[in-house]
């Protein structure tokens, strides 16, 4: 009697799970996942170093015209932390307008920029509130008082420029994270190049060079 052949059972192939492009790059990188050029950490460090090299020459800068409006002749900023409530409840140039004895702000349109001015007030608190003595109303006394005040303001501006560059570094790192997670997911090099162009683009020179 012939034996019936037992039908071979079908072999079910296990599904092949392909790694995401970013994971593939990390796996293929000889440096490993921690220090791969595709990793967020390395890209953030490189961007920070590039920006520092490009903008560290601003540390010796003094103040520019716009800085006078919001820092040099802004009473709310010079009050440090105590002036923050006034900053949140006023136009950016209100204090400057008062210092010029203007009844109302002569600059058209309102300018409400509390967050940047709050950073100026916090910096002033760290640098020390200006307590220049103007009690001597003689010409020589007033001239000396203004000289001391100007020297302190100029010295303080160097510190403010350093803080400004560091804040821009933080902004670029946040931009890199946003590009990697939202705009260009799975394209770490594309996100890095976009952030790098943003960092070195000349259009940002004035933003960083001015406080």
């Amino acid at each position: 009697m012939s034996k019936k052949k037992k039908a071979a059972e079908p072999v079910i192939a296990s599904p092949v799970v392909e790694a995401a492009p970013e994971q593939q790059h990390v796996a293929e990188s000889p440096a490993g996942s921690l220090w791969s050029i595709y990793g967020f950490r390395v890209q953030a460090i490189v961007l920070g170093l590039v920006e520092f090299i490009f903008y560290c020459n601003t540390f010796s800068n003094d103040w520019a015209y716009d800085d006078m409006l919001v820092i040099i002749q802004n009473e709310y900023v010079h009050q440090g932390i105590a002036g923050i409530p006034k900053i949140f409840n006023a136009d950016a140039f209100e204090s400057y307008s008062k210092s010029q004895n203007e009844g109302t702000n002569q600059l058209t349109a309102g300018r409400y920029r509390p967050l940047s001015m709050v950073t100026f007030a916090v910096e002033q608190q760290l640098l020390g509130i200006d307590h220049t003595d103007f009690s001597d109303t003689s010409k020589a006394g007033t001239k000396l008082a203004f000289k001391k005040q100007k020297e302190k303001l100029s010295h303080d501006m160097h510190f403010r420029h350093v803080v400004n560059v560091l804040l821009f570094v933080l902004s670029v790192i946040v931009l890199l994270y946003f590009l990697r997670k939202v705009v260009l997911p799975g394209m770490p090099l594309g996100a890095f190049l976009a952030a790098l162009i943003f960092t070195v683009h000349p259009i940002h020179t004035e933003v960083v060079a001015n406080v």
Side-chain angles (χ1 to χ4, degrees):
M1 181 184 289
S2 61
K3 295 182 179 179
K4 293 183 179 180
K5 293 183 178 180
K6 189 177 181 180
E9 295 182 359
V11 178
I12 302 175
S14 59
V16 178
V17 180
E18 294 185 359
E22 184 174 356
Q23 293 176 336
Q24 290 178 348
H25 290 312
V26 171
E28 295 169 1
S29 172
S33 60
L34 190 61
W35 296 106
S36 168
I37 187 59
Y38 300 99
F40 174 77
R41 178 182 299 184
V42 172
Q43 292 183 352
I45 292 174
V46 171
L47 288 175
L49 290 175
V50 169
E51 186 191 342
F52 187 86
I53 292 171
F54 266 70
Y55 295 107
C56 66
N57 62 331
T58 65
F59 294 169
S60 59
N61 287 1
D62 210 319
W63 53 275
Y65 179 74
D66 289 344
D67 297 333
M68 180 179 68
L69 301 177
V70 295
I71 298 176
I72 304 300
Q73 292 184 252
N74 194 299
E75 179 186 352
Y76 304 156
V77 169
H78 285 283
Q79 292 174 0
I81 294 177
I84 292 179
K86 296 178 182 178
I87 291 174
F88 274 107
N89 289 282
D91 183 90
F93 298 145
E94 179 181 281
S95 179
Y96 173 77
S97 299
K98 290 180 179 179
S99 71
Q100 301 302 302
N101 296 320
E102 298 175 358
T104 57
N105 189 352
Q106 300 299 314
L107 298 173
T108 59
R111 291 171 175 82
Y112 186 66
R113 304 168 182 171
L115 295 182
S116 59
M117 294 186 65
V118 164
T119 64
F120 302 151
V122 173
E123 290 169 2
Q124 190 64 53
Q125 188 71 36
L126 295 174
L127 291 165
I129 308 301
D130 184 13
H131 296 293
T132 304
D133 185 10
F134 286 93
S135 59
D136 186 354
T137 56
S138 64
K139 186 176 181 180
T142 302
K143 185 177 180 180
L144 179 61
F146 272 115
K147 181 181 178 181
K148 290 181 178 179
Q149 186 182 58
K150 184 177 180 181
E151 288 175 352
K152 177 174 174 25
L153 290 172
S154 297
H155 181 269
D156 290 351
M157 289 305 296
H158 302 322
F159 174 81
R160 294 184 189 277
H161 280 292
V162 174
V163 173
N164 209 44
V165 171
L166 294 178
L167 288 175
F168 191 59
V169 169
L170 179 61
S171 300
V172 170
I173 293 175
V174 171
L175 173 64
L176 173 66
Y177 184 84
F178 177 76
L179 290 172
R180 286 172 59 103
K181 295 296 182 180
V182 179
V183 182
L184 299 170
M187 298 178 62
L189 276 185
F192 172 72
L193 290 176
L196 180 62
I197 293 173
F198 180 89
T199 302
V200 301
H201 200 286
I203 198 172
H204 299 301
T205 302
E206 184 179 359
V207 177
V208 182
N210 284 8
V211 174

